[in-house]
Amino acid sequence: MRGTKKYPHVIDTPDQGKWELAGYEAALPITEKSNPITRELDKADAAQIVQLLRDCDAEIFQEDDEALVNYKRLYSESVLKTMVDIIAKVQEVLKEPDNTLIVLSGGGASGRMGFLMAVSFNILLKGLGQLPQYTYIIAGGDRSLVASLEGPEDSALLGIEDLKKVCEGKKKVIFFGISCGLSAPYVAGQLDFCMNNLDIYVPVLVGFNPVTMARTDKIEGFHSTFRQVAERMEKLQETHQAFILNPAVGPEGLTGSSRMKGGSATKILLETLLLTAHKTVSKDSEISEKCLLEILRTYERAHKVTYGQSKKIAALVKQAGTSLQKKAYVYLVGWHTLGIIAIMDGAECIPTFGADINDVRGFLIGDRSEMFNREADLIAQGPKFAFSEEDFVKTILPSLTELDTVLFLFTVDDNLDEVEKLVVQVKERTSNVQALSHATVGQYLPASLKKLFPSIISIMWPILFLEYEGKFIQRFQRELSTKWILNTVSTGAHVLKGKILRNYMVDLRVSNSKLFWRAVSILQRFSGQPHAKCLEGLLQAIYDPEPLSEDLRTAPVSKHIAVATDKSKVVPTALLCLLRSCSVPEARARLDAAPSLRAALDTALNAPGRKRGADKSEPDEQST
């Protein structure tokens, strides 16, 4: 690739993996394949968990290998060229700030990442004395930013209505629709609307599957599948009217958990692209691949710097795992945008692990006055939506126990007196306090704060001599580093709690159509039973004790999801029923009696007379 010799790799990425071979789990898109690196994640100790997830994250930065299936990668020529083309469109909007807008949209984790980036780039503009030009949209509105609400992601029409509202009166809009798996109906509807209104909108699809792997099931209440929308965009890309930014970054370390690698790659791609646009506009300079590569390599360095702390991260994984194993909680208390990362990580544990709202929970400390579209939607909405410092002090602090873990996230530039005051209060309730601190070379924590923590993950960043943009590259590095650490800690803690089987989230919450079909796929993989039988088993676990009538069997998926969303252990219950040919109540009783969910499922998988290897079966195409 042109130019890469000047920018050698900062980290050693794993050798290209089995997942890149043509026949590997061929029925599944990349984002739903299991990663061979983490095949035995459930057996790993804390140190091994960190190493395995580190290697998975390194795959983001891997180069092409023509000897294997030639998926586009982050550094592929075609990806860099698409980024340059999009930057040219963003520049037009930045140069004409009146009645123009840059919109970042998605459901769940993708919507939260869009929110984080919109906040950051509006802060950048404010620092330059300019008005905000970024906004975000998330399926379910602002309440979805701080809580787990996956259902709205299934509505294409809701997506269109939300887009129309934020863009009313605008003459030019760059729209980034983020869907890691090229699967979210909410985003499909918005992209379709943009393509019907190209006089105003420039649609950009961001995801991590080839278009040929985009979701093909019919979207309820809508005329197109996601694949059809993406194929239409491909045609428009030829004339630079629409763009698809979809490098392959490899399967997730935890199968299908796009909050992890997908979220990180979204952040890396879009921040690089947008920062380059701002930099070239402010300096009136040409867009070059060199500029893109410079910024991309800073994220690669962030990976090396972050996982240079692997030993301390592993100790934190172990501590958090101990809290969850003892039915206690892990609280993440972050300042400014690190608080947003904390909230994201906590909220995403609920659908991923079937976690309780407090199992892993984030709080935001600091000024949030210019962050939210409608903060009023979050105030006084009940404990599920509590996320502020006041909420932490009033509702969490009094109930903290010695078994809970509290992790503080801050930079040396934050108000350290405020940090110290809150740490002192927390230490009156629990000694399990930890810190993740970011500093630039030459900065140090005051001794009074340092001595409060038994352990600090202290990350030191080099000084970047890149004028105003350098400050934001450093900010983005710190955010990504924090994200990597929190994803590793929360995933690792749930592994140690016994919530993971191999590298599958077998206790996921069945709360939207993507998770519904993923649940069926997991049942197929571990039971070795046909698609139809696994679907029947899932429905029985959802509706029990109500018998499955023909009306229920043929009801739309949205009805099943509405019933399943608030039910716990639906997938492990269905899997035990399939493995042991037992009733739903018997399966539930076995789960309740076992020391962990994984232990119950492992016992069933290894039962005498059961054929080994059923978990290697290929799911049907339908399940994707």
Side-chain angles (χ1 to χ4, degrees):
M1 203 207 82
R2 285 200 312 269
T4 48
K5 287 182 182 174
K6 295 179 187 174
Y7 301 92
H9 270 298
V10 180
I11 55 170
D12 294 324
T13 54
D15 292 334
Q16 268 75 0
K18 183 181 172 185
W19 69 267
E20 292 177 90
L21 299 173
Y24 182 73
E25 297 186 348
L28 295 170
I30 295 168
T31 55
E32 294 290 326
K33 294 181 194 292
S34 63
N35 197 315
I37 292 172
T38 55
R39 193 178 299 283
E40 296 190 336
L41 181 66
D42 60 341
K43 296 177 184 172
D45 63 23
Q48 291 165 334
I49 289 166
V50 175
Q51 182 183 338
L52 294 172
L53 296 182
R54 176 200 68 193
D55 289 350
C56 282
D57 286 332
E59 288 185 315
I60 294 172
F61 304 102
Q62 208 156 24
E63 301 265 7
D64 300 11
D65 184 339
E66 291 175 9
L68 294 164
V69 175
N70 195 19
Y71 293 124
K72 292 182 295 186
R73 306 302 296 260
L74 182 67
Y75 290 117
S76 294
E77 197 68 56
S78 61
V79 171
L80 294 174
K81 184 182 181 306
T82 301
M83 291 174 78
V84 168
D85 292 340
I86 297 167
I87 288 166
K89 298 291 185 180
V90 174
Q91 283 181 325
E92 292 173 17
V93 166
L94 293 176
K95 288 174 181 175
E96 299 288 339
D98 294 336
N99 296 316
T100 60
L101 196 61
I102 299 168
V103 180
L104 299 147
S105 177
S110 295
R112 294 181 195 104
M113 188 54 72
F115 164 67
L116 173 68
M117 290 186 289
V119 167
S120 293
F121 280 98
N122 280 336
I123 291 170
L124 185 151
L125 286 168
K126 186 178 181 181
L128 294 169
Q130 297 171 24
L131 293 172
Q133 269 185 276
Y134 289 83
T135 194
Y136 65 89
I137 311 174
I138 182 168
D142 278 3
R143 299 199 304 169
S144 294
L145 293 169
V146 301
S148 171
L149 302 170
E150 283 72 43
E153 190 178 317
D154 280 340
S155 175
L157 299 181
L158 177 63
I160 294 168
E161 287 308 307
D162 288 349
L163 178 59
K164 284 180 181 175
K165 279 178 197 168
V166 301
C167 298
E168 194 174 350
K170 300 298 178 185
K171 292 179 181 174
K172 194 74 177 173
V173 176
I174 310 285
F175 174 78
F176 291 94
I178 307 164
S179 178
C180 294
L182 274 60
S183 60
Y186 184 83
V187 172
Q190 293 171 329
L191 292 167
D192 186 75
F193 176 78
C194 289
M195 287 189 284
N196 293 336
N197 295 276
L198 291 170
D199 53 325
I200 294 174
Y201 295 90
V202 177
V204 181
L205 167 58
V206 181
F208 305 102
N209 283 321
V211 168
T212 54
M213 292 181 175
R215 195 166 164 189
T216 55
D217 26 341
K218 188 179 182 319
I219 296 171
E220 283 186 33
F222 195 59
H223 55 75
S224 297
T225 65
F226 202 110
R227 169 92 65 89
Q228 289 167 333
V229 170
E231 287 171 343
R232 189 176 161 204
M233 290 189 74
E234 267 189 321
K235 290 192 178 77
L236 287 170
Q237 184 154 338
E238 294 169 13
T239 53
H240 287 197
Q241 292 177 285
F243 301 93
I244 301 176
L245 200 53
N246 62 332
V249 296
E252 296 288 355
L254 181 64
T255 306
S257 183
S258 55
R259 80 188 190 106
M260 297 172 74
K261 199 189 290 186
S264 302
T266 298
K267 183 171 167 49
I268 292 164
L269 268 177
L270 292 186
E271 286 174 352
T272 298
L273 186 157
L274 295 170
L275 201 54
T276 302
H278 281 275
K279 187 176 179 181
T280 49
V281 165
S282 66
K283 295 188 174 175
D284 197 22
S285 58
E286 290 288 315
I287 310 163
S288 69
E289 288 184 9
K290 178 184 174 184
C291 182
L292 289 173
L293 286 165
E294 279 179 345
I295 297 174
L296 287 172
R297 294 303 190 201
T298 65
Y299 288 107
E300 210 174 321
R301 279 192 287 276
H303 180 280
K304 186 172 184 178
V305 169
T306 301
Y307 286 105
Q309 300 282 335
S310 287
K311 195 171 179 183
K312 287 188 174 181
I313 297 170
L316 184 54
V317 168
K318 191 174 180 182
Q319 174 60 58
T322 299
S323 288
L324 293 189
Q325 285 168 319
K326 293 182 176 178
K327 294 185 168 49
Y329 304 124
V330 178
Y331 296 108
L332 314 169
V333 182
W335 270 254
H336 306 295
T337 53
L338 301 189
I340 296 175
I341 304 279
I343 291 168
M344 289 166 63
D345 196 86
E348 288 150 15
C349 286
I350 298 169
T352 306
F353 304 109
D356 178 80
I357 184 174
N358 280 326
D359 282 353
V360 179
R361 187 160 183 187
F363 290 87
L364 166 64
I365 314 293
D367 180 26
R368 57 182 192 273
S369 58
E370 295 178 8
M371 286 188 178
F372 299 96
N373 285 339
R374 286 186 52 80
E375 191 177 356
D377 288 351
L378 301 171
I379 305 301
Q381 292 289 324
K384 186 177 175 182
F385 302 100
F387 67 94
S388 68
E389 179 177 12
E390 299 90 331
D391 294 321
F392 180 78
V393 171
K394 286 180 183 174
T395 63
I396 303 300
L397 192 58
S399 60
L400 277 177
T401 74
E402 187 58 42
L403 296 176
D404 296 323
T405 296
V406 182
L407 174 62
F408 290 87
L409 316 160
F410 55 88
T411 76
V412 178
D413 297 320
D414 290 324
N415 184 337
L416 298 182
D417 289 338
E418 189 178 55
V419 176
E420 192 170 324
K421 181 182 172 187
L422 194 54
V423 176
V424 168
Q425 288 178 278
V426 168
K427 284 201 77 170
E428 291 173 3
R429 315 288 308 187
T430 177
S431 59
N432 292 328
V433 292
Q434 307 274 351
L436 167 56
S437 160
H438 297 278
T440 307
V441 170
Q443 291 182 317
Y444 299 97
L445 285 177
S448 59
L449 179 58
K450 206 170 176 181
K451 72 179 184 184
L452 290 174
F453 296 104
S455 175
I456 300 178
I457 301 172
S458 186
I459 300 187
M460 192 68 72
W461 298 96
I463 297 169
L464 292 176
F465 297 101
L466 292 169
E467 299 170 30
Y468 189 63
E469 291 85 3
K471 175 183 171 184
F472 278 86
I473 290 172
Q474 194 129 77
R475 177 196 191 103
F476 296 154
Q477 284 181 316
R478 291 171 174 183
E479 290 169 357
L480 181 60
S481 175
T482 301
K483 179 186 181 297
W484 273 326
I485 290 171
L486 295 189
N487 286 171
T488 299
V489 168
S490 57
T491 299
H494 281 97
V495 170
L496 296 177
K497 188 182 180 182
K499 280 276 197 172
I500 307 302
L501 187 62
R502 311 295 187 264
N503 55 0
Y504 286 85
M505 46 169 108
V506 284
D507 199 16
L508 60 85
R509 191 69 58 95
V510 183
S511 48
N512 65 21
S513 59
K514 176 182 74 175
L515 295 172
F516 180 90
W517 292 116
R518 184 180 293 158
V520 176
S521 178
I522 288 170
L523 295 177
Q524 283 182 266
R525 172 158 300 267
F526 286 105
S527 73
Q529 301 285 356
H531 174 86
K533 188 163 184 182
C534 291
L535 178 57
E536 178 93 354
L538 181 62
L539 294 179
Q540 284 176 334
I542 289 171
Y543 287 104
D544 184 80
E546 188 179 349
L548 272 188
S549 64
E550 194 55 32
D551 283 350
L552 285 180
R553 285 188 176 90
T554 57
V557 171
S558 56
K559 176 174 172 56
H560 307 324
I561 292 161
V563 177
T565 295
D566 294 323
K567 288 200 167 185
S568 62
K569 298 182 182 175
V570 168
V571 182
T573 300
L575 182 53
L576 267 188
C577 289
L578 290 165
L579 292 172
R580 291 191 172 275
S581 301
C582 67
S583 67
V584 170
E586 184 185 338
R588 286 195 183 126
R590 285 183 180 274
L591 285 172
D592 291 342
S596 73
L597 186 147
R598 175 182 171 260
L601 296 175
D602 242 0
T603 300
L605 283 165
N606 294 305
R610 175 168 166 71
K611 288 182 183 177
R612 298 298 299 139
D615 61 322
K616 293 178 184 171
S617 64
E618 285 285 336
D620 295 344
E621 290 280 356
Q622 285 174 276
S623 66
T624 64

